Amino acid sequence: MSDRKNVVIERTYKARVEEVWELWTTKDGFESWWGPQGFRVDVKALEAKLGGLLHYDMIADAPDVVAQMKKMGAPLSHETRGTFSEFKPHQRLALTHIIDFLPGVKPYDSTMVLELFPSGNTVRMVVTLTPMHDEKFTQMQVEGFTSQLTKLDKRFQV
C-alpha cells in the first residue's frame, strides 16, 4: 500500500470553523452527514479526544441501494470502529479506522486527516485519505467520501 499516493479532497464552506468541527466530533453532527448517498450511520460511541473511540454502523437505507446490496449479496450494514489518532480542536484531527469487514482481506488501518482553515466567514476543509489495500477499493473509498460530502455541500449551499 505504501507505493500509492494519498488522496486529498478539499471544500470551502460558508460556515464557522466551530460548525464544521462539530460535524466531525459530535454524535448528532456525525450522523447528520456521514455515509455516502443512500447510507446513514448509527453512532454507538464517539469520544472526541486524542485516543477516543469512534464506533458506528454504516447502514444502507435508500430503497435502490438496499436492492443493489441485496442483489450483490452484500450485507445491508456493517460495524465500523476507529480512534481519533490526532486531535487539535478546530484545526486538525485524524481518524484511524480498522478495516476488518472485507471478506478475504486481512484487517488493516486506514487513516483520514481533517484540516480546517478558517478565513473570514468561510472555512476550507482539507481531507487526506490514505489508500486502501488495492486500487479498486481506494477508488470506492474516494467515491464514497465524495458522495457523503454532497450532504455538506447542500447544507452549506456550495
Side-chain angles (χ1 to χ4, degrees):
M1 289 189 286
S2 61
D3 60 339
R4 289 197 296 279
K5 295 183 191 269
N6 291 341
V7 176
V8 178
I9 300 171
E10 294 188 33
R11 294 287 196 279
T12 298
Y13 295 121
K14 187 174 181 177
R16 295 179 341 230
V17 70
E18 295 85 1
E19 290 176 275
V20 177
W21 183 257
E22 286 180 12
L23 294 173
W24 286 81
T25 60
T26 67
K27 179 183 187 308
D28 288 342
F30 200 82
E31 287 180 340
S32 75
W33 74 282
W34 197 261
Q37 294 292 331
F39 291 83
R40 65 177 177 80
V41 295
D42 180 14
V43 174
K44 307 294 184 192
L46 192 156
E47 301 167 346
K49 62 182 181 180
L50 183 60
L53 177 67
L54 175 61
H55 180 196
Y56 61 91
D57 291 333
M58 177 78 67
I59 304 161
D61 70 346
D64 59 324
V65 174
V66 169
Q68 184 180 27
M69 299 292 281
K70 286 181 178 179
K71 184 177 179 181
M72 293 185 315
L76 298 181
S77 70
H78 69 267
E79 180 180 38
T80 303
R81 295 174 292 122
T83 58
F84 288 92
S85 50
E86 288 185 51
F87 200 84
K88 295 178 184 170
H90 305 127
Q91 297 174 33
R92 179 182 170 102
L93 65 75
L95 284 172
T96 300
H97 285 91
I98 302 164
I99 307 301
D100 62 356
F101 49 83
L102 299 172
V105 176
K106 184 179 175 181
Y108 64 95
D109 290 344
S110 177
T111 300
M112 65 177 59
V113 175
L114 164 72
E115 296 174 287
L116 298 175
F117 302 94
S119 177
N121 66 347
T122 65
V123 60
R124 183 166 59 104
M125 181 178 83
V126 179
V127 179
T128 303
L129 307 172
T130 59
M132 295 192 71
H133 63 283
D134 69 21
E135 195 65 37
K136 176 185 170 191
F137 275 89
T138 298
Q139 185 61 35
M140 289 172 59
Q141 172 196 37
V142 171
E143 289 171 4
F145 192 78
T146 302
S147 174
Q148 72 189 26
L149 284 179
T150 63
K151 298 173 186 177
L152 293 185
D153 296 347
K154 184 177 178 181
R155 171 186 236 139
F156 295 114
Q157 302 296 311
V158 170

